[in-house]
Amino acid sequence: MTGEAVVVGAGIAGLAAARGLLAAGWRVQVRERSGGLPVTGTSLGMWPAAMRALDDLGLGEEVRAASVEARGGRILRPDGRTLARLGPERSVRMVPRPVLLEALARDLPPGTIAWHRPAGDPDLLPDADVVVAADGVHSPVRTALFGVAERPLGTLAIRGRALLPAEGVTETWGPGRIFGITPYDATSTYWYACFRAELLPQPPPAGATAEVLRELYRGWHPAVQHVLAALDKTSLDRRELLDVPPLRSYVTARTALVGDAAHAMAPNLGRGAAEALVDATTLVDALTEGAGPLVDEAGVAAALRRYDAVRRPPTTRLVRAARLLNRMSTGHRLVRPRDLALAAVGRLV
């Protein structure tokens, strides 16, 4: 089937959906509120299903060449002792967000992306066979059509890039806070500090964030201190963490939610970007299967139902699991029983 789609949002899910539909012969317009692709961003975990999605989009080898493979990982105590290990058979490719977005946007036909064009009222979007709502955790389309807003997790995150190589993947758990270290690329580290919101009730003064972090993580093991010592000359991203409550459906009429608009989740599982890619290629497959040369309303409705049936159950489970892990990893109470349980589980996996 071929038809016309309006994609709201030029993030990972939106660009992947646009790329896939264009390759299938659809006419696609992407509306994006910002003025261009970001030039900075986090390191994203591309799990095997996400790499298969990138292969389907013709980008797998390019992303592999621009990424770093991470095998296994460790969860540590603040003193550096190991609580649990993830075996080396658990492989993920770490790719910088700007690299992935640039790959997804490259070679799109001129004019495909309309910059500085926020969605606004969904009823005012151009006529199309399908609307792909890829407008993120704060999705105006989801709020307007599904009546569901994002919700706070009760945690804050500060994250950034340190100009020193990462030695593997670690996450350190302490009372009320965690600190993660992963590769960003071959020469630099992506790090993140996540902690209960009450530990930092007010934003730190301009330029003082690094000092606040050093105080929050004072006395933690040398790998954390090494990263914290390298922060003065880097930009830091601070944000309240949010997720989206499980929805009864990701589709309504001609509209499908994808990525964070559908299932924004706590970052603790490292799956948000990967699931957005799988959403996009699953939606493309659902919309483009069949022998008919043109779409019709019934065919689109059936395709959207197939997409919803495939993607909503697993991503709903991930949202719930990520929220639970966010609460558990940053808990204030019962820290010692938590660590003992984690160590026991670590010995079994």
Side-chain angles (χ1 to χ4, degrees):
M1 296 192 299
T2 61
E4 186 168 0
V6 173
V7 178
V8 183
I12 292 167
L15 290 176
R19 192 176 188 92
L21 289 172
L22 284 165
W26 280 54
R27 299 180 303 279
V28 179
Q29 177 187 143
V30 181
R31 297 169 68 99
E32 169 55 42
R33 63 183 179 182
S34 70
L37 296 176
V39 296
T40 61
T42 60
S43 182
L44 304 172
M46 295 290 102
W47 298 90
M51 292 308 304
R52 290 192 293 272
L54 288 167
D55 287 333
D56 290 344
L57 295 170
L59 299 173
E61 290 308 309
E62 178 181 349
V63 171
R64 288 183 181 91
S67 63
V68 176
E69 185 180 29
R71 289 187 172 273
R74 294 180 297 153
I75 299 178
L76 307 175
R77 301 175 191 266
D79 62 8
R81 288 183 293 170
T82 299
L83 281 169
R85 294 181 183 272
L86 299 176
E89 71 279 2
R90 297 173 183 258
S91 174
V92 61
R93 302 208 70 91
M94 306 303 299
V95 56
R97 182 183 294 272
V99 170
L100 180 59
L101 289 172
E102 183 180 349
L104 289 168
R106 187 177 301 120
D107 301 327
L108 294 182
T112 297
I113 305 175
W115 303 106
H116 298 295
R117 294 291 298 277
D121 185 344
D123 291 336
L124 300 180
L125 289 171
D127 288 336
D129 299 295
V130 175
V131 173
V132 181
D135 48 345
V137 63
H138 301 288
S139 171
V141 175
R142 183 194 64 240
T143 302
L145 298 183
F146 294 78
V148 177
E150 64 279 4
R151 60 184 179 179
L153 285 158
T155 48
L156 302 176
I158 299 176
R159 51 198 182 180
R161 178 184 175 191
L163 301 179
L164 49 90
E167 297 180 2
V169 176
T170 64
E171 192 167 88
T172 305
W173 290 20
R177 69 207 79 182
I178 63 175
F179 197 94
I181 298 172
T182 70
Y184 183 84
D185 54 29
T187 61
S188 58
T189 291
Y190 169 65
W191 61 268
Y192 52 93
C194 178
F195 45 89
R196 303 304 302 174
E198 58 265 26
L199 295 179
L200 192 64
Q202 298 295 330
T209 302
E211 286 304 319
V212 169
L213 287 173
R214 292 182 186 118
E215 184 61 32
L216 277 173
Y217 295 93
R218 183 179 300 278
W220 286 37
H221 59 82
V224 172
Q225 300 306 316
H226 194 199
V227 170
L228 293 175
L231 300 189
D232 289 328
K233 297 182 180 179
T234 62
S235 61
L236 307 180
D237 175 84
R238 178 192 182 277
R239 64 186 60 205
E240 179 185 20
L241 293 182
L242 309 165
D243 71 0
V244 170
L247 303 176
R248 293 184 178 181
S249 178
Y250 290 170
V251 304
T252 182
R254 61 173 182 154
T255 300
L257 303 175
V258 294
D260 281 354
H263 49 69
M265 62 188 74
N268 299 72
L269 294 174
R271 296 285 291 269
E275 298 305 317
L277 283 168
V278 179
D279 284 355
T281 54
T282 301
L283 179 62
V284 170
D285 288 345
L287 287 169
T288 57
E289 68 181 31
L294 298 173
V295 301
D296 56 37
E297 188 173 340
V300 167
L304 296 188
R305 287 195 299 270
R306 289 194 296 273
Y307 160 74
D308 185 62
V310 171
R311 292 302 296 152
R312 186 163 48 87
T315 51
T316 296
R317 290 192 292 270
L318 286 171
V319 169
R320 289 173 172 153
R323 188 177 184 88
L324 177 62
L325 187 57
N326 183 266
R327 288 178 176 176
M328 184 173 70
S329 63
T330 60
H332 286 290
R333 300 178 179 178
L334 303 175
V335 172
R336 180 169 173 75
R338 176 200 71 183
D339 290 352
L340 290 173
L342 186 62
V345 171
R347 289 192 291 269
L348 297 175
V349 299

